[in-house]
Amino acid sequence: MLELRLVQGSLLKKVLEAVKDLVNDANFDCSATGFSLQAMDSSHVALVALLLRSEGFEHYRCDRNISMGMNLGNMAKMLKCAGNDDIITLKADDGSDVVTFMFESPTQDKIADFEMKLMDIDSEHLGIPEAEYHAIVRMPSSEFARICKDLSSIGDTVVISVTKEGVKFSTRGDIGTANIVCRQNTTVDKPEEATVIEMNEPVSLTFALRYFNSFTKATPLSNTVTLSLSSELPVVVEYKIAEMGYIRFYLAPKIED
Amino acid sequence: VNQQRQITAFFGKK
């Protein structure tokens, strides 16, 4: 028996909007720790890891670890039917091939049940090693989204370079080149507006912009985003989900042969 | 020319 009640149902709506274009089908894993997902895009270039900790749910019952295969497009369609202020409850019986989403309006005057078929998905969980990153950049998530969108109108790839001067995003395309430098800026009114650069070593890596633009669909989940970079390792683009967990996107770099 | 790597080149199966 599984029963997860999330008072801030909009979080789950936003999570689905953030991942549904990157990943088609995925297993949601439910354990005492929380509700999680790990999945790669179809070309195995990017990986998404989601964790919503059990403590973040108003009610969290998961009698045994279960894995529920879902089509994320279909799940997003169902969650779109929940109001932004609705409380969302996920329910599944042991051995069942369906999951039920229950949406309750805040005043309890409207209650909806949506039942979705589960699917069998062969998923291989990857071990993500702990890594020491050469540089960690925290910046406003809206600023990062703006940079990715702007650069993708010029080129297909972005070179992210972190030096003591700041973090530089560069691209080139048929019509020309673009460089955007963000310097550390901690003298702002609100901490979430700061750009903070922790650098152990300078690092420069090349990535496909279209994946970054997909990751920025998670922008509504968090005011800030953290980029963790190390030479010849996938970048980690992390959006913290307040009081609940995180959504992390890993993107493999482009490397010269 | 930079070649796109796959995630599986960095992270092994559990």
Side-chain angles (χ1 to χ4, degrees):
Chain A
M1 174 78 184
L2 171 90
E3 202 168 281
L4 318 181
R5 182 176 158 93
L6 183 61
V7 172
Q8 208 183 335
S10 60
L11 282 183
L12 197 58
K13 286 164 67 77
K14 289 175 188 171
V15 163
L16 262 292
E17 290 307 306
V19 297
K20 74 175 168 65
D21 295 335
L22 189 67
V23 177
N24 296 327
D25 304 319
N27 282 317
F28 280 91
D29 299 311
C30 202
S31 72
T33 310
F35 191 61
S36 65
L37 170 151
Q38 192 203 84
M40 281 185 281
D41 76 302
S42 59
S43 56
H44 293 192
V45 169
L47 178 142
V48 56
L50 163 78
L51 174 64
L52 299 175
R53 290 188 196 91
S54 51
E55 305 88 71
F57 291 83
E58 190 207 36
H59 171 71
Y60 191 94
R61 179 177 170 187
C62 176
D63 295 345
R64 60 185 180 85
N65 292 358
I66 65 165
S67 195
M68 293 184 291
M70 302 196 207
N71 175 283
L72 300 189
N74 292 343
M75 187 176 172
K77 277 182 197 168
M78 295 217 162
L79 293 178
K80 269 195 176 164
C81 302
N84 281 330
D85 300 328
D86 281 1
I87 298 164
I88 298 181
T89 304
L90 266 71
K91 291 184 200 176
D93 289 322
D94 286 344
S96 171
D97 59 356
V98 294
V99 60
T100 301
F101 303 106
M102 188 171 88
F103 309 142
E104 294 168 71
S105 67
T107 50
Q108 305 283 314
D109 52 3
K110 182 179 169 192
I111 296 171
D113 278 284
F114 286 69
E115 195 177 83
M116 189 178 82
K117 288 176 192 157
L118 295 175
M119 52 199 294
D120 282 323
I121 297 167
D122 273 336
S123 75
E124 37 184 87
H125 268 239
L126 300 184
I128 301 170
E130 286 287 318
E132 280 283 315
Y133 285 94
H134 290 165
I136 297 174
V137 177
R138 179 164 65 80
M139 63 193 298
S141 57
S142 55
E143 182 62 37
F144 178 64
R146 173 75 196 267
I147 289 169
C148 293
K149 182 169 166 277
D150 287 350
L151 293 186
S152 62
S153 66
I154 313 290
D156 298 329
T157 62
V158 59
V159 179
I160 304 181
S161 309
V162 184
T163 63
K164 59 182 193 314
E165 309 301 323
V167 55
K168 183 167 79 169
F169 301 88
S170 309
T171 192
R172 60 175 58 243
D174 293 342
I175 64 167
T177 64
N179 295 292
I180 300 172
V181 177
C182 298
R183 295 209 176 87
Q184 173 148 296
N185 175 13
T186 51
T187 58
V188 287
D189 292 342
K190 297 175 193 162
E192 64 265 28
E193 289 169 0
T195 298
V196 182
I197 300 168
E198 287 172 44
M199 189 195 76
N200 298 318
E201 273 183 59
V203 59
S204 182
L205 285 159
T206 304
F207 300 100
L209 267 171
R210 68 184 183 91
Y211 289 98
F212 278 136
N213 274 310
S214 173
F215 304 163
T216 59
K217 302 220 163 104
T219 304
L221 283 165
S222 180
N223 288 325
T224 62
V225 62
T226 305
L227 313 178
S228 302
L229 297 133
S230 242
S231 293
E232 310 211 339
L233 269 187
V235 61
V236 190
V237 180
E238 180 181 59
Y239 295 85
K240 287 219 171 2
I241 302 172
E243 286 142 41
M244 288 218 74
Y246 56 78
I247 185 162
R248 290 178 186 149
F249 299 99
Y250 297 81
L251 178 61
K254 290 175 164 237
I255 297 175
E256 211 167 314
D257 272 330
Chain B
V1 177
N2 288 323
Q3 294 296 324
Q4 177 65 63
R5 292 294 189 271
Q6 289 195 321
I7 280 289
T8 42
F10 303 93
F11 301 160
K13 284 182 194 172
K14 248 185 186 172

